[in-house]
Amino acid sequence: MAATAALTQLGIPFSWGGGAPSGPTTGIGRGARTRGFDCSGLTLYAWSKAGIRLGHYTGTQYRQGRRVAIADLRKGDLVFFGGGTADPTHVGLYLGDGVMVHAPKTGDVVKRTTFLTSPYYRSVYRGAVRPA
């Protein structure tokens, strides 16, 4: 259900701080003039449709569920990237076959991206969580 909800938002603009359980919102700072989602806003929206409440911060979402090995990923799992030893800096929602849906960055839109075979995303992959 979460993955299906996220896919309904394809093409919505990235907006720093944007997104709520109800859908895209005007963001803050760099996103103050754009209605859309940031990465964690998209995932909190998607999981709200499955009845799960997530925080609007990637680091918080990283701690809101059970860790999942990459070999055990299921549709809807949250996949995290970046941040070194600090909190991850990016989150997407796993769709299957090495693909995620995510809100990548300012100037971009919600889209599907293959991450399991991407040299960039594989190099900054931090882990996955199954929200509960």
Side-chain angles (χ1 to χ4, degrees):
M1 180 177 274
T4 301
L7 287 169
T8 67
Q9 303 304 305
L10 290 171
I12 298 294
F14 180 93
S15 178
W16 185 263
S22 59
T25 64
T26 302
I28 58 173
R30 292 177 286 178
R33 295 192 173 160
T34 305
R35 184 172 174 79
F37 291 103
D38 67 8
C39 64
S40 59
L42 176 66
T43 54
L44 82 80
Y45 163 79
W47 272 98
S48 76
K49 301 308 170 202
I52 303 292
R53 184 182 176 115
L54 297 175
H56 195 162
Y57 172 62
T58 304
T60 302
Q61 292 182 6
Y62 192 57
R63 293 181 281 281
Q64 287 188 278
R66 171 172 80 76
R67 293 272 194 267
V68 178
I70 201 164
D72 297 325
L73 284 172
R74 284 194 275 182
K75 192 174 188 177
D77 287 343
L78 300 178
V79 288
F80 294 89
F81 306 89
T85 58
D87 284 342
T89 55
H90 188 63
V91 61
L93 198 134
Y94 189 63
L95 297 175
D97 298 321
V99 177
M100 68 175 163
V101 59
H102 65 137
K105 62 187 177 195
T106 300
D108 212 334
V109 297
V110 174
K111 63 183 175 184
R112 292 181 186 97
T113 298
T114 300
F115 73 94
L116 279 181
T117 57
S118 160
Y120 171 73
Y121 282 108
R122 285 294 290 157
S123 72
V124 295
Y125 181 75
R126 288 288 299 279
V129 167
R130 188 164 297 143

